[in-house]
């Protein structure tokens, strides 16, 4: 359908738009939004259950790598989890979904003729994940603009003047972006306006010569000094200024995350520094045990 209704002019630009922002419109649709939520939750539960069946001794963390619209879907799912029942077997998955998200509003509009139409009726049901999520890595994420346009940040429950953010189940959020990605937005200023005065933290550039420290990098370090937990992280792999920045934005900025070695090392380092192996000496395994029984962490 999209190919039939898309204009033939400037095909490269329209391809970028159709491949990114159109997906978000589908998610906001009352017809397709619920289907997307249900499918994502079902696949995640099945994949984690399959992994635990294959490696029954596994007791490590689960981190999610979410790109573009996937980060919006996962943000909403994690915001609507009930953390009192983690790690339920898949066989115990409730037959019916939990009540609609109280954070989503339904409103009515009265027209002069007296006709009342319901807008954005809140009929969404939120399936539960049958495992605990520890980290959500959001890449090229439009989460911030979605929260803003939906009005979430105007609700009483939204955090203000906060110095950190976590989901109800305790998962930590990492909002990682290429500076030229036209779909990505910063998240930190939504929970504290003071974050807007600081540039995003930098993902360490380990595969090219690192540029000398600038005033922006020094400002970014101040948040760490004050004990603020950083959420926004910017990649350094590519020019973000001038003509090259514009070309990168149109060509591959929104899809560069899949090939970024800096990003892979950053996520690995983040997970390991959460002391997966240090906290519990019993998690250490030799190679023979891993080969025979699978990983435990």
């Amino acid at each position: 359908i999209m190919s039939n209704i898309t204009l033939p002019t400037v095909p490269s630009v329209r391809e970028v738009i159709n491949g990114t922002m159109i997906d978000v419109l589908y998610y906001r649709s009352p017809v397709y939004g619920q289907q997307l939520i249900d499918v994502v939750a079902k696949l995640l539960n099945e994949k984690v259950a399959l992994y635990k069946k294959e490696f029954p001794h596994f007791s490590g963390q689960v981190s999610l790598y979410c790109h573009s619209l996937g980060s919006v879907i996962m943000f909403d799912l994690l915001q609507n989890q009930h953390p009192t029942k983690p790690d339920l077997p898949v066989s115990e998955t409730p037959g019916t979904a939990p009540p609609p998200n109280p954070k989503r509003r339904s409103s009515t509009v009265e027209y002069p003729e007296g006709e009342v139409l319901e807008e954005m009726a809140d009929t969404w049901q939120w399936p539960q994940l049958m495992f605990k999520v520890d980290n959500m890595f959001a890449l090229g994420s439009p989460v911030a603009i979605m929260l803003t346009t939906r009005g979430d940040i105007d609700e009483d429950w939204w955090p203000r003047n906060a110095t950190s953010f976590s989901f109800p189940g305790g998962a930590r959020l990492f909002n990682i972006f290429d500076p030229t990605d036209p779909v990505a937005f910063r998240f930190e200023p939504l929970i504290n306006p003071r974050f807007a005065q600081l540039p995003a933290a930098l993902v360490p550039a380990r595969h090219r010569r690192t540029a000398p420290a600038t005033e922006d990098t020094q400002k970014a370090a101040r948040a760490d000094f004050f004990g603020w937990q950083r959420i926004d992280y910017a990649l350094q792999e590519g020019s973000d200024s001038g003509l090259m920045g514009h070309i990168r934005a149109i060509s591959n900025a929104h899809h560069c995350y899949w090939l970024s070695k800096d990003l892979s090392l950053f996520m690995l380092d983040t997970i390991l520094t959460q002391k997966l192996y240090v906290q519990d000496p019993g998690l250490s395994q030799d190679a023979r045990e891993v080969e025979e029984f699978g990983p435990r962490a």
Side-chain angles (χ1 to χ4, degrees):
I1 295 177
M2 289 303 303
S3 61
N4 292 334
I5 64 177
T6 300
L7 297 178
T9 55
V10 288
S12 59
V13 176
R14 297 188 187 279
E15 182 179 357
V16 172
I17 295 175
N18 287 354
T20 55
M21 300 309 296
I22 296 300
D23 290 343
V24 176
L25 296 179
Y26 270 111
Y27 178 58
R28 299 194 68 173
S29 163
V31 177
Y32 300 104
Q34 182 69 65
Q35 296 180 34
L36 288 170
I37 284 286
D38 292 341
V39 168
V40 169
K42 180 175 181 292
L43 288 175
L44 285 172
N45 283 331
E46 289 178 350
K47 294 300 182 183
V48 173
L50 180 63
Y51 186 85
K52 290 185 175 181
K53 181 179 179 180
E54 185 72 18
F55 304 107
H57 298 284
F58 176 79
S59 60
Q61 291 182 322
V62 176
S63 297
L64 299 178
Y65 181 104
C66 311
H67 178 250
S68 195
L69 175 64
S71 65
V72 179
I73 296 175
M74 280 312 309
F75 187 95
D76 287 342
L77 264 177
L78 292 178
Q79 278 289 85
N80 289 278
Q81 295 299 296
H82 306 306
T84 54
K85 297 181 179 180
D87 292 318
L88 289 176
V90 173
S91 60
E92 296 183 23
T93 304
T96 57
N101 181 3
K103 301 167 188 173
R104 290 204 173 218
R105 299 172 296 178
S106 61
S107 59
T108 58
V109 177
E110 185 171 350
Y111 292 87
E113 295 80 3
E115 180 183 7
V116 178
L117 299 177
E118 186 173 1
E119 290 187 344
M120 299 294 290
D122 192 354
T123 58
W124 285 26
Q125 304 292 308
W126 295 98
Q128 298 297 286
L129 299 178
M130 300 299 115
F131 57 92
K132 182 179 182 297
V133 177
D134 293 276
N135 300 293
M136 172 182 160
F137 295 98
L139 314 170
S141 173
V143 162
I145 193 65
M146 288 288 288
L147 295 173
T148 302
T149 57
R150 285 194 322 213
D152 294 46
I153 62 174
D154 298 320
E155 298 282 5
D156 293 337
W157 55 267
W158 185 256
R160 295 174 178 85
N161 298 318
T163 58
S164 63
F165 178 88
S166 62
F167 294 99
R172 183 177 172 184
L173 172 66
F174 294 87
N175 181 46
I176 305 170
F177 53 85
D178 183 288
T180 61
D181 188 342
V183 181
F185 292 83
R186 288 198 60 181
F187 181 88
E188 293 170 339
L190 296 186
I191 63 171
N192 192 328
R194 295 183 179 181
F195 271 115
Q197 302 173 18
L198 302 173
L202 297 177
V203 173
R206 310 188 189 199
H207 286 269
R208 71 176 178 85
R209 191 170 4 182
T210 304
T214 64
E215 184 179 354
D216 280 349
T217 58
Q218 294 171 359
K219 287 182 179 178
R222 292 178 192 170
D224 298 329
F225 176 78
F226 289 115
W228 294 6
Q229 186 182 79
R230 297 312 303 262
I231 302 169
D232 294 339
Y233 289 86
L235 294 173
Q236 303 183 68
E237 299 172 306
S239 173
D240 59 356
S241 62
L243 178 61
M244 292 305 298
H246 287 79
I247 294 176
R248 182 175 174 82
I250 296 175
S251 59
N252 69 339
H254 189 56
H255 303 284
C256 69
Y257 310 99
W258 309 104
L259 300 177
S260 172
K261 295 181 179 179
D262 288 348
L263 175 59
S264 298
L265 288 173
F266 172 77
M267 292 191 297
L268 180 61
D269 181 68
T270 298
I271 294 172
L272 292 180
T273 54
Q274 292 173 348
K275 300 181 179 179
L276 289 177
Y277 300 97
V278 177
Q279 286 180 343
D280 185 357
L283 290 177
S284 59
Q285 296 174 269
D286 57 31
R288 182 179 302 175
E289 185 182 359
V290 172
E291 182 178 353
E292 183 176 357
F293 299 108
R296 280 183 281 165

